[in-house]
């Protein structure tokens, strides 16, 4: 490659690395200022997204800084991100991973590893083996369900509630069978599950409790963050989610015996737990005798679980680190937008089911879900809003058992999935993400009201 054009990129011969870096980052910030600012909103012309990344110069400076560091793999930013998220959740451990789907895969696969048997206490939930059952809602995101199937476990489908869109907590206990080992449920569109009921059932029946918190960062139940109730919980940092690093996710680990195996599942299944760039953290790198390996076999190449590689790059983590500082403001704005819709659309109570929130819950809303009354054409509402440049989304896979890929999976279904079908046929959600301002919410609410006022 030819050297940089000296006219375009004047570099003083005596410029230090720190000076050059500072200048590059200032230019990056200037780029953000000039070319990344949100455009003014023009009702009917600007597209109102259901979600999107919200970021400032800090994210771009961090990303450019990580590029200059050229660490590439998980490194200092990934460690910083994990430490800060661990503190945020007051968790035992926080694992940064490359997606929310990977976080779900790690959680379920961890509980299936032979490795955990020797770490678990004498009482409480046991390791899961093929044929064991996991209770999960029929309205779900595919990669909440997939790890159950991929690990040879049997999903037990329970219906959901209209209004909360969560698994119906009152049907869970009756769905438990002799081989049921876990409950795995999302806090759908950021609305907390009834954690009193779920924790109580899991405790009394010695079940694993896994929360899919991908849509719910910052939501609380009884004043406590969701993600801190179950043995483990997942997060997604895809741009539609509460904070982003492009592709990314996290596992909140609240149970000490699961920490090492979950980390190993992310890191190729290895037994070694050295952080990036470290060697011999255990002090016995060449002193172990594990499995049928010869004594002293390098711990870095010793595998105690059947793992994956699901780590983040340091560039992703660098963006995530800057986003952490925005969590409180993002949650505030999501709640403000949600309350605004709730207030504007309240008069439609006969035409739509408005969101229902447990009295102890404070959602960190992913969207504003509505279900049209029977006899109202949901698809006509979707077209009406999309024509007005207002994006809509369905509640993920609807009744996932009706999806083409899931028709012949091995499963057990508890009761009738009546509400799950209703959600599939009659529900949508619209955006509340922090990039939406009150005038945008008013515009969207006006269009929803106009749909129902047509004669
Ligand atoms: C509830 C839920 N779980 C899991 C995921 C998967 O996250 P990712 O897209 O980061 O893989 C999503 C994604 O939207 C989700 O909404």
């Amino acid at each position: 490659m030819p050297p940089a054009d000296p006219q375009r990129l004047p570099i003083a011969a005596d410029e230090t690395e720190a000076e050059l870096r500072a200048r590059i980052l200032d230019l990056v910030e200037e780029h953000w200022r000039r070319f990344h600012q949100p455009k003014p909103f023009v009702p009917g012309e600007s597209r109102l997204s259901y979600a999107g990344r919200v970021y400032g110069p800090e994210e771009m400076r961090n990303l450019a800084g990580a590029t200059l560091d050229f660490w590439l793999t998980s490194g200092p930013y990934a460690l910083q991100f994990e430490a800060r998220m661990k503190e945020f959740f007051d968790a035992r451990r926080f694992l940064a991973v490359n997606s929310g789907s990977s976080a779900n895969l790690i959680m379920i696969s961890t509980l299936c590893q032979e490795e955990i048997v020797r770490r678990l206490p004498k009482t409480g939930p046991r390791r899961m083996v093929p044929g064991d059952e996991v209770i999960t809602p029929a309205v779900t995101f595919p990669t909440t369900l997939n790890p159950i199937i991929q690990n040879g476990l049997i999903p037990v489908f329970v219906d959901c509630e209209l209004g909360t869109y969560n698994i119906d907590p009152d049907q869970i206990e009756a769905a438990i069978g002799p081989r049921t080992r876990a409950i795995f449920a999302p806090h759908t569109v950021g609305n907390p599950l009834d954690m009193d009921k779920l924790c109580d059932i899991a405790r009394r029946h010695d079940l694993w409790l896994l929360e899919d918190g991908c849509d719910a960062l910052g939501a609380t139940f009884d004043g406590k963050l969701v993600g801190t109730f179950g043995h483990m919980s997942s997060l997604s940092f895809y741009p539609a989610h509460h904070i982003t690093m492009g592709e990314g996710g996290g596992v909140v680990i609240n149970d000490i015996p699961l920490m090492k195996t979950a980390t190993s599942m992310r890191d190729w299944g290895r037994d070694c737990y050295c952080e990036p760039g470290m060697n011999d953290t255990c002090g016995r790198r060449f002193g172990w005798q594990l499995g049928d390996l010869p004594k002293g076999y390098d711990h870095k190449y010793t595998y105690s679980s059947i793992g994956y590689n699901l780590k983040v790059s340091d560039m992703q983590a660098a963006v995530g680190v800057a986003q952490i500082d925005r969590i409180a403001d993002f949650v505030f704005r999501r709640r403000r937008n949600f309350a605004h819709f709730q207030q504007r659309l309240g008069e439609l109570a006969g035409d739509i089911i408005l969101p229902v929130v447990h009295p102890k819950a404070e959602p960190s809303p992913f969207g504003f879900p509505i279900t049209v009354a029977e006899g109202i054409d949901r698809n006509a509402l979707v077209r009406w809003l999309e024509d007005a440049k207002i994006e809509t989304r369905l509640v993920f896979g609807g009744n996932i058992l009706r999806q083409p890929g899931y028709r012949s999976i091995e499963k057990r279904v508890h009761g009738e999935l009546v509400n799950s079908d209703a959600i599939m046929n009659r529900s949508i959600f619209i955006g509340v993400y922090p990039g939406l301002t009150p005038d945008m919410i008013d515009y969207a609410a006006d269009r929803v009201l106009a749909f129902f006022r047509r004669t």
Side-chain angles (χ1 to χ4, degrees):
M1 238 176 98
D5 177 353
Q7 290 301 314
R8 195 155 45 88
L9 289 175
I11 302 170
D14 58 351
E15 193 165 24
T16 64
E17 197 275 333
E19 286 163 346
L20 179 55
R21 173 182 285 258
R23 201 149 59 82
I24 291 169
L25 297 187
D26 286 347
L27 283 170
V28 166
E29 178 159 346
E30 187 54 24
H31 191 278
W32 176 85
R33 224 170 284 292
R34 291 206 203 165
F35 305 113
H36 291 257
Q37 302 274 15
K39 305 222 169 17
F41 171 61
V42 183
E45 275 180 36
S46 314
R47 191 153 186 80
L48 275 198
S49 304
Y50 86 99
R53 63 224 154 109
V54 176
Y55 61 100
E58 296 82 359
E59 282 80 354
M60 292 193 63
R61 289 182 79 104
N62 274 14
L63 179 58
T67 310
L68 296 177
D69 294 340
F70 213 63
W71 188 288
L72 298 182
T73 60
S74 275
Y77 273 117
L79 289 180
Q80 197 185 329
F81 184 76
E82 289 189 335
R84 290 193 54 196
M85 291 303 280
K86 174 179 180 292
E87 192 184 331
F88 179 83
F89 282 100
D90 194 17
R92 297 293 185 183
R93 174 119 217 226
F94 184 92
L95 290 181
V97 299
N98 60 7
S99 72
S101 305
S102 299
N104 287 344
L105 179 62
I106 288 176
M107 295 199 299
I108 290 286
S109 313
T110 295
L111 301 178
C112 296
Q113 296 304 301
E114 194 182 336
E115 162 72 0
I116 59 162
V117 173
R118 66 191 177 89
R119 298 185 193 283
L120 296 178
K122 295 267 177 296
T123 56
R126 315 309 306 151
R127 173 199 178 197
M128 297 197 284
V129 295
D132 283 348
E133 292 179 343
V134 180
I135 291 179
T136 201
V139 173
T140 192
F141 195 82
T143 50
T144 313
L145 171 59
N146 295 354
I148 300 172
I149 301 167
Q150 286 154 342
N151 277 283
L153 305 167
I154 313 292
V156 178
F157 292 99
V158 169
D159 204 10
C160 295
E161 297 175 311
L162 287 169
T164 70
Y165 305 93
N166 281 328
I167 191 168
D168 182 346
D170 294 326
Q171 292 199 43
I172 293 176
E173 193 146 19
I176 296 172
R179 290 206 61 181
T180 306
R181 300 281 176 269
I183 303 170
F184 186 14
H187 299 278
T188 311
V189 277
N191 191 2
L193 294 151
D194 182 338
M195 295 318 297
D196 281 345
K197 286 188 181 158
L198 265 71
C199 290
D200 175 57
I201 296 168
R203 205 175 306 109
R204 284 190 289 104
H205 293 272
D206 280 345
L207 302 179
W208 295 109
L209 180 57
L210 301 178
E211 299 170 66
D212 181 329
C214 285
D215 300 340
L217 176 62
T220 60
F221 186 88
D222 207 10
K224 196 164 128 64
L225 280 172
V226 306
T228 61
F229 290 85
H231 295 93
M232 291 183 277
S233 176
S234 58
L235 288 164
S236 168
F237 306 128
Y238 190 73
H241 293 256
H242 294 58
I243 61 170
T244 189
M245 53 174 76
E247 301 289 351
V251 185
V252 183
I253 306 175
N254 301 313
D255 199 39
I256 292 173
L258 305 178
M259 283 164 42
K260 189 160 180 288
T261 309
T263 311
S264 167
M265 290 309 293
R266 181 193 61 179
D267 301 347
W268 304 282
R270 67 181 188 172
D271 201 70
C272 164
Y273 45 86
C274 282
E275 297 290 7
M278 299 294 290
N279 279 318
D280 210 12
T281 309
C282 63
R284 295 180 58 195
R285 179 172 166 194
F286 299 106
W288 291 96
Q289 210 280 289
L290 294 168
D292 297 326
L293 291 169
K295 182 163 172 36
Y297 200 82
D298 190 346
H299 197 213
K300 266 192 185 296
Y301 287 93
T302 299
Y303 303 98
S304 48
S305 39
I306 315 297
Y308 303 93
N309 176 4
L310 304 172
K311 299 192 298 300
V312 282
S313 74
D314 226 35
M315 284 83 74
Q316 289 166 281
V319 175
V321 164
Q323 290 263 289
I324 292 175
D325 292 329
R326 303 186 192 278
I327 294 176
D329 177 53
F330 282 173
V331 174
F332 168 81
R333 286 198 262 167
R334 282 178 178 275
R335 286 180 177 157
R336 179 201 64 196
N337 291 344
F338 186 91
H340 195 152
F341 269 132
Q342 187 89 296
Q343 183 261 322
R344 289 291 320 274
L345 302 183
E347 65 184 83
L348 293 178
D351 299 308
I352 60 175
I353 297 172
L354 288 159
V356 175
V357 175
H358 188 285
K360 286 188 177 176
E362 257 209 90
S364 178
F366 186 69
F368 190 85
I370 55 177
T371 299
V372 299
E374 269 177 277
I376 294 176
D377 182 353
R378 186 267 314 268
N379 294 348
L381 173 62
V382 167
R383 280 193 301 275
W384 172 270
L385 293 175
E386 296 278 348
D387 284 349
K389 296 210 161 35
I390 299 161
E391 263 189 0
T392 61
R393 285 290 181 275
L394 302 184
V395 183
F396 306 123
N399 176 354
I400 200 145
L401 289 176
R402 300 203 184 270
Q403 292 278 353
Y406 294 84
R407 279 180 302 191
S408 55
I409 59 166
E410 211 181 325
K411 62 180 179 294
R412 187 156 69 78
V413 177
H414 174 76
E416 304 285 316
L417 303 177
V418 181
N419 289 343
S420 302
D421 280 339
I423 294 166
M424 180 183 65
N425 290 318
R426 290 169 26 216
S427 304
I428 61 166
F429 72 88
I430 38 187
V432 296
Y433 85 101
L436 299 179
T437 52
D439 56 331
M440 296 176 185
I441 302 290
D442 272 329
Y443 168 72
D446 285 344
R447 297 315 300 155
V448 175
L449 290 167
F451 176 83
F452 287 97
R453 284 183 191 141
R454 293 169 314 160
T455 46

